[in-house]
Amino acid sequence: MKMFGLKYLLWLVVLLGFTAQAGAQSITSESQSLTKKQQAIIPIAAFTASGDLDSLKGALHNGLDAGLTINETKEVMVHLYAYCGFPRSIRGLQTLMAVLDDRKAKGINDEWGAEASPIKDKRSKYDQGKEVLGELTGAPQDGPKTGYAAFSPEIEVFLKEHLFADIFERDVLSYSERELVTISVLSSIGGVEPMLRSHMRICLNVGLTPGQLQQFVNIIQASVGEKEAKAAQSVLDEVLRSVKSE
């Protein structure tokens, strides 16, 4: 058990607590509770982003046991490099390889799962990404560029063409699963509250509920820490107040 890491064990205790209370609290009712696979994605993304590889090993075992395929788990780490960089992503993938070797040695044969479907859209990647971002945000993307996009048009192009076209259009993970990865990373690295705010709103747009986002914060508290959870809770409260007033 030592190899799994203290944070992972604490998170597992909290997760078991969620399960035990599911019938008593609306926050974990069937319609409000994240699936086991969605719950497993959160610490995998958070530990990869923070570089806590000891705890990541335990989270990976749990995620594979919860039904994540190898390709889905790989995709979590491919997705998050856009938010925390290649070094963290590659170290996560290397840790996954070691975990899979360990499981195979124990006679556990994990399912590879589906590969990403070919993208047949013949439009430019920029136009594809613009459409995906519009779907995610529920807002048109044809207005004049402002803020960082006006200051650095290059990065706005990279975001549309690569993040929202190349990455988000890969159907190994759903939009809601990708957003769970994203807010897990942003909560883990900290100091990016405006981005976390935007992506929590996107979470609501792609079908996650306020109760599921509260459960997300609770898992962050157990797996990452009090400071990160407090910041995430503050952002979530702000987003929910804003949505309610609209």
Side-chain angles (χ1 to χ4, degrees):
M1 295 178 69
K2 183 178 179 182
M3 66 174 286
F4 290 156
L6 179 58
K7 286 183 179 178
Y8 168 70
L9 293 176
L10 290 173
W11 170 77
L12 184 58
V13 169
V14 172
L15 177 59
L16 291 173
F18 288 155
T19 303
Q21 296 173 12
Q25 298 183 7
S26 61
I27 191 68
T28 52
S29 66
E30 184 177 352
S31 62
Q32 292 287 301
S33 181
L34 296 166
T35 67
K36 290 182 179 179
K37 288 171 64 173
Q38 288 173 325
Q39 292 176 47
I41 283 172
I42 296 167
I44 289 173
F47 292 144
T48 303
S50 66
D52 185 352
L53 302 184
D54 285 338
S55 295
L56 176 59
K57 291 176 184 177
L60 287 169
H61 278 287
N62 183 68
L64 293 165
D65 289 341
L68 285 173
T69 66
I70 296 172
N71 280 332
E72 287 171 335
T73 311
K74 284 169 52 183
E75 196 72 18
V76 168
M77 294 171 179
V78 170
H79 179 95
L80 60 78
Y81 97 82
Y83 298 94
C84 64
F86 276 114
R88 295 296 195 202
S89 176
I90 291 172
R91 290 297 287 134
L93 287 166
Q94 290 169 336
T95 303
L96 174 59
M97 292 167 63
V99 165
L100 291 173
D101 286 343
D102 178 57
R103 291 168 69 84
K104 188 174 182 179
K106 294 176 180 177
I108 302 172
N109 294 310
D110 295 293
E111 181 183 350
W112 274 93
E115 301 276 353
S117 302
I119 296 174
K120 299 179 180 179
D121 196 325
K122 299 302 182 183
R123 294 175 299 167
S124 70
K125 286 186 177 180
Y126 186 84
D127 287 338
Q128 293 175 44
K130 201 162 75 167
E131 180 175 297
V132 170
L133 183 57
E135 291 178 26
L136 292 171
T137 62
Q141 301 297 309
D142 296 323
K145 295 180 177 62
T146 60
Y148 74 85
F151 180 71
S152 178
E154 301 88 350
I155 200 168
E156 191 267 346
V157 171
F158 294 157
L159 281 169
K160 295 272 196 325
E161 291 186 347
H162 184 47
L163 176 59
F164 294 110
D166 287 337
I167 298 179
F168 264 86
E169 286 208 308
R170 290 172 55 83
D171 58 2
V172 178
L173 296 176
S174 67
Y175 284 170
S176 60
E177 289 167 338
R178 289 188 182 280
E179 284 303 321
L180 275 178
V181 174
T182 302
I183 62 175
S184 298
V185 172
L186 297 178
S187 296
S188 177
I189 63 178
V192 287
E193 283 75 14
M195 291 75 183
L196 180 58
R197 187 180 306 114
S198 296
H199 281 280
M200 281 192 170
R201 288 186 68 95
I202 290 175
C203 283
L204 295 172
N205 289 339
V206 297
L208 294 171
T209 67
Q212 289 171 325
L213 289 179
Q214 183 59 61
Q215 189 178 5
F216 159 80
V217 173
N218 293 343
I219 294 173
I220 287 294
Q221 180 180 20
S223 60
V224 180
E226 293 283 347
K227 177 183 176 181
E228 292 82 0
K230 184 177 180 180
Q233 184 70 63
S234 178
V235 172
L236 176 58
D237 291 343
E238 179 184 344
V239 167
L240 294 180
R241 283 195 302 269
S242 176
V243 170
K244 187 175 181 180
S245 66
E246 291 176 355

